[in-house]
């Protein structure tokens, strides 16, 4: 039986400081655990979606959400995820 997908949502406060795209040091454990789950499940592909709040202007939030998605994708790859990943920001 082939899976049609699973959604895993991590709250922004878990990964990033306000207005930042650098993954917080204390989030490394959370992402390492997620990487392990993805690797154990032999996930072939994953989508990483970044979001922000609505406090800053639209252009800043779009750029920040893209940077956050790329940061998470990079951490997962660093932690051994071999799945094909794309990263998309949604402002």
């Amino acid at each position: 039986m082939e899976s049609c997908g699973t959604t895993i949502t991590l709250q922004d406060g878990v990964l990033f400081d306000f207005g930042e795209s650098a993954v917080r040091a204390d989030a490394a454990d959370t992402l390492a655990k997620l990487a392990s789950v993805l690797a154990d499940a032999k996930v072939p592909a994953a989508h990483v979606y970044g979001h922000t709040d609505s406090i800053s202007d639209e252009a800043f939030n779009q750029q920040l959400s893209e940077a956050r998605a790329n940061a998470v994708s990079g951490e997962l790859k660093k932690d051994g995820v071999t799945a094909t990943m794309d990263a998309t920001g949604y402002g």
Side-chain angles (χ1 to χ4, degrees):
M1 182 172 194
E2 193 172 315
S3 171
C4 60
T6 300
T7 300
I8 299 171
T9 303
L10 302 175
Q11 298 300 316
D12 65 331
V14 172
L15 301 176
F16 305 102
D17 287 328
F18 178 78
E20 298 294 326
S21 63
V23 175
R24 291 180 5 187
D26 62 342
D29 188 48
T30 299
L31 291 178
K33 288 176 184 173
L34 177 57
S36 178
V37 168
L38 295 174
D40 290 348
K42 296 180 176 57
V43 172
H47 307 286
V48 179
Y49 303 128
H51 297 274
T52 64
D53 55 36
S54 59
I55 294 175
S56 296
D57 66 60
E58 189 174 320
F60 176 82
N61 282 339
Q62 181 61 40
Q63 182 180 28
L64 179 60
S65 67
E66 291 170 7
R68 286 179 169 183
N70 285 320
V72 169
S73 178
E75 285 291 316
L76 292 172
K77 288 178 184 176
K78 185 178 83 174
D79 288 335
V81 173
T82 58
T84 301
M85 284 189 279
D86 62 31
T88 304
Y90 286 98

